[in-house]
Amino acid sequence: MVIQVISAAPLTDDERAKIEKRFSVKHPGQKPVFSYSVDQSLLGGLLVIDGDDFYDASLKRQMTRLVSGEAQTERVQPTPAQQAQRQAVLDKLTEQMRIEPLRPDIGKLMRRLDERIDTFKPDYTGSHAGRVCYSGDGVIRIEGLKDAEYDELLDVEGVKAIAFNLEEDNVGAIVLDDEDKVQAGAIVHSTGRIVEVPVGEALLGRVVNPLGVPIDGLGEVHTDRVRPIEAAAPAIADRGKVNTPLQTGIMAIDAMIPIGRGQRELIIGDRQTGKSSIAIDTILNQKGKGVYCVYVAIGQKSSTVSGLVHTLGEYGALDYTVVVCSTARDSAPMQYIAPYAGCAIAEEFMYAGRDVLIVYDDLSKHAVAYRAMSLLLKRPPGREAYPGDIFYLHSRLLERAAKLSDALGGGSMTALPIVETLAGDISAYVPTNIISITDGQIYLESELFNAGIRPAVNVGLSVSRVGSSAQIKGMRKVSGKLRLDLSQYRELQVFTQFGSDLDAETKRMLDQGARATETLKQPLHASYAVEQQIILLYLINKELLGRVPTDRIGAFNKGFLEYLEVNGSELYGRICANGDVSMEDGIALEELVDAYYAYFFKK
Ligand code: ATP
Ligand code: MG
């Protein structure tokens, strides 16, 4: 047991004896060793460190408390009268120091120490304060902050931080904004809250950073509602069945990998395979459908995000969209909280009974930001150097997407997380984790993309585990055969690669597959309404496109839809109303295709 005594001036034997006597009483039966040292920076008085207890009776502390400590803790500015009074006390102290700077009135200080020891009671309530003892790379360590909770918002002299590592003798925290403003020695207060973002309809059409601060130059966001960025996911009993489709407007997805409102569907693929494009087209397609959208950009280039905002504006999609943006130059902590902040904004709409679509672009960069933070906080690295709780990082985020029960208003949050793979490796650590949490995945392939099959959806590896129950009847009828055609086509393609001698049936299947593949090609921002998709798939299923050259299928389909709108508006209206092609409508449709053939080849 060593008790350290640090004083501003060397202590006399008498003084030492007094101190030793006083502190030995605290440790009956033990023989504490006293270690004495001198630190002139205390100005006057002394400091005793007794195990975990800390008795600071130095002049320096009194002065700091007076000039900075108290002022820091106060939310309100002191009045001029208070300030004057403080200045007077300070002047007096300074004067005393000048007369006898290093000779404290030991008797008085000892009496005060006695008082403190007798009345010492640990305080487990209220706001405690600590001091920053290390700051670097957006991570700080804090000493003396005893009551911090995990995930709690900390106030570092006006800068926000989140408590992350609660250790025996210090707290590791991540700094959210202005990390360079934090200095060693800064005072930290716990707040008892967790980070909140402003929420509500006022955010629609805005671009905000992960703390909800607008970065689009359009002024303040006028809302008085806030939500914590971390929240519990809806309980099992609070959830309803996924039964309404969320139309992406992309035929390959709506027909074969349908997404229901409240579902979590992963978009996965290598770099530059059109992942973001699918998410953006889905947002564009929500126009007029009453679905609010939240797009969360994580660690992306500023130019990419600005291009995206421009596209959304151009197609009139900003009116119902919120963009939460953390760019590549933002600190790892800001990138880390971005998806949770976006989720809180979406939750507000969901609990108000609305349908929301949220896109996380992308969670690979999120995992990397989290890894950087964890390593700086000296958490032990695991597989691929990710920390042990990397699974929980994404599961607690994606579990918050849900379809709520009618009792809770029936709102929904559909999540489209995006994950980037390296060389198509979907069995890497983060991709497999997220695949196991989501309700299916849309797998995009570079090979298909480069072969001009765009969107480059690999139909074989993509699945939707809950969406088919949300598909409308007409779509369900036509999509079954399409899946079969395409899978036969894929198999035959492999078999017939080297053979030239094909029988008629094989040729027919190959032809049918090639035409189906052509039909599913879709340029950017050219979404199809679900009825249009049903009609086009009806044509391909009934093999009505046999006479069109394969490379002109796209043009034929586009032209036919326009032709139908003019020359078969009644029929089109009926198909829209029923959401299905009935027997008679089918016959009428076939006649119309015949009529269009003549027109198409004349062009
Ligand atoms: P990154 O890995 O950089 O995030 P990404 O996978 O998100 O890329 P996108 O940015 O969506 O890919 O698309 C890459 C490029 O492919 C873009 O230039 C886009 O215009 C083009 N592209 C995407 N989808 C289509 C499509 N259906 N038709 C034509 N071009 C497309
Ligand atoms: Mg992208």
Side-chain angles (χ1 to χ4, degrees), residues 156-169:
V156 190
E157 300 187 350
V159 177
K160 288 192 175 108
I162 302 180
F164 235 69
N165 268 14
L166 306 181
E167 288 168 28
E168 212 171 318
D169 53 353

Side-chain angles (χ1 to χ4, degrees), residues 461-529:
L461 284 179
S462 303
V463 285
S464 171
R465 294 190 194 106
V466 292
S468 56
S469 56
Q471 255 182 339
I472 63 170
K473 201 173 102 214
M475 187 54 120
R476 224 175 298 162
K477 264 184 7 198
V478 288
S479 65
K481 180 155 186 304
L482 180 70
R483 238 179 202 288
L484 191 69
D485 280 349
L486 285 173
S487 65
Q488 281 179 337
Y489 175 57
R490 269 201 314 274
E491 257 173 45
L492 283 178
Q493 249 188 334
V494 179
F495 269 118
T496 56
Q497 224 158 19
F498 304 108
S500 53
D501 210 10
L502 302 175
D503 62 276
E505 177 59 12
T506 312
K507 268 199 192 127
R508 189 196 62 77
M509 282 203 260
L510 279 173
D511 197 46
Q512 174 71 359
R515 275 156 213 279
T517 309
E518 277 304 313
T519 301
L520 293 182
K521 281 189 189 171
Q522 215 170 318
L524 283 179
H525 318 324
S527 57
Y528 288 123

Side-chain angles (χ1 to χ4, degrees), residues 153 160 162 176 193-200 203 208-214 221 223-231 294 322-325 334 337-348 400:
L153 174 67
K160 288 192 175 108
I162 302 180
L176 292 181
R193 293 179 292 134
I194 69 169
V195 180
E196 288 164 339
V197 278
V199 293
L203 281 155
V208 295
N209 79 1
L211 293 170
V213 180
V221 175
T223 176
D224 51 1
R225 293 192 53 79
V226 290
R227 264 190 118 83
I229 62 167
E230 297 276 359
V294 179
V322 186
V323 178
V324 179
C325 170
M334 283 295 254
I337 67 162
Y340 302 102
C343 191
I345 292 171
E347 258 170 358
E348 174 75 9
R400 284 161 74 181

Side-chain angles (χ1 to χ4, degrees), residues 71-87:
Q72 299 289 0
T73 55
E74 268 169 3
R75 294 261 166 250
V76 265
Q77 278 298 105
T79 61
Q82 281 172 327
Q83 259 172 347
Q85 196 189 358
R86 275 184 201 167
Q87 195 57 48

Side-chain angles (χ1 to χ4, degrees), residues 270-277 420 449 454-455 522-524:
D270 280 4
R271 52 171 292 280
Q272 291 288 305
T273 46
K275 302 183 298 297
S276 307
S277 300
E420 186 181 300
F449 190 86
R454 299 177 189 178
Q522 215 170 318
L524 283 179

Side-chain angles (χ1 to χ4, degrees), residues 374-406:
S374 302
L375 292 176
L376 286 167
L377 282 164
K378 300 208 162 53
R379 290 185 174 184
R383 186 175 153 191
E384 292 179 25
Y386 288 110
D389 62 343
I390 191 85
F391 184 78
Y392 178 55
L393 175 78
H394 292 140
S395 62
R396 74 171 192 268
L397 173 71
L398 293 170
E399 276 298 295
R400 284 161 74 181
K403 160 86 186 160
L404 293 182
S405 64
D406 291 337

Side-chain angles (χ1 to χ4, degrees), residues 536-580:
L536 294 183
L537 293 177
Y538 184 86
L539 301 189
I540 193 85
N541 276 357
K542 294 280 172 185
E543 304 188 14
L544 297 177
L545 304 182
R547 282 185 280 157
V548 188
T550 320
D551 57 345
R552 290 187 69 192
I553 297 260
F556 184 90
N557 282 342
K558 192 159 173 274
F560 178 69
L561 288 177
E562 282 162 11
Y563 183 79
L564 177 69
E565 228 166 272
V566 180
N567 298 300
S569 56
E570 205 181 307
L571 172 65
Y572 184 63
R574 218 164 37 239
I575 295 176
C576 288
N578 296 339
D580 192 8

